[in-house]
Amino acid sequence: MKIDKTVIKETKYIASFVIIFSVLMQAVFLIIGKWDYTVLIGNLWGIIIAVGNFFVMGLFVQKAVTQDEKEARQTVRASQSLRMAAIFVLAAVGLIIFKQTPTRVAIVLPLIFPRIAIMLRPIIYRNI
């Protein structure tokens, strides 16, 4: 399957905001004195999960738009179930590996960054 340009464009948008917010989060950990290399590793793991989830969602939506309504609905439902399970498993692996609370926060917090980026999109593009 060829990846649609829109999926790539939107994933880049989300990835850029997740990285920007992650840099800000790293700065906060540094300022409050809770930063160490494990926070960076945990944050990278969270970025991979968050951006990967968005990319896979884009692939499923790309597939769904070529299907009839009933198949598309099933594809989207399956996508949501599979992606949520994958997020849960991947995040759990990170939380099991890293016992420190700051690192655990750095794993979980990037999972909400795509939602923030999506909420900011109308504001950003309205002013351009």
Side-chain angles (χ1 to χ4, degrees):
M1 167 176 34
K2 184 177 180 194
I3 301 170
D4 190 87
K5 290 178 184 176
T6 304
V7 173
I8 294 169
K9 177 185 168 196
E10 296 301 318
T11 302
K12 285 180 180 179
Y13 171 81
I14 293 298
S16 64
F17 271 89
V18 170
I19 290 168
I20 290 167
F21 293 143
S22 292
V23 167
L24 293 173
M25 181 181 69
Q26 293 290 318
V28 169
F29 277 111
L30 191 60
I31 290 167
I32 65 173
K34 298 292 184 178
W35 191 91
D36 67 4
Y37 77 95
T38 63
V39 172
L40 179 61
I41 294 169
N43 189 198
L44 291 173
W45 186 245
I47 290 170
I48 290 168
I49 297 169
V51 175
N53 173 56
F54 190 84
F55 178 70
V56 171
M57 179 187 64
L59 293 178
F60 273 101
V61 169
Q62 177 183 326
K63 179 180 179 183
V65 297
T66 64
Q67 299 172 326
D68 65 44
E69 186 178 341
K70 184 178 178 182
E71 287 177 323
R73 192 173 290 126
Q74 290 174 340
T75 297
V76 170
R77 268 195 224 126
S79 163
Q80 187 174 12
S81 298
L82 290 171
R83 289 182 302 105
M84 289 304 117
I87 289 170
F88 178 78
V89 169
L90 292 171
V93 166
L95 296 175
I96 290 168
I97 292 171
F98 296 103
K99 305 291 186 207
Q100 306 91 336
T101 300
T103 307
R104 288 179 167 188
V105 170
I107 292 170
V108 174
L109 206 52
L111 300 179
I112 66 165
F113 293 163
R115 290 190 183 270
I116 297 169
I118 291 166
M119 288 183 340
L120 291 175
R121 187 168 200 138
I123 297 167
I124 292 168
Y125 284 102
R126 179 180 51 193
N127 296 325
I128 292 180

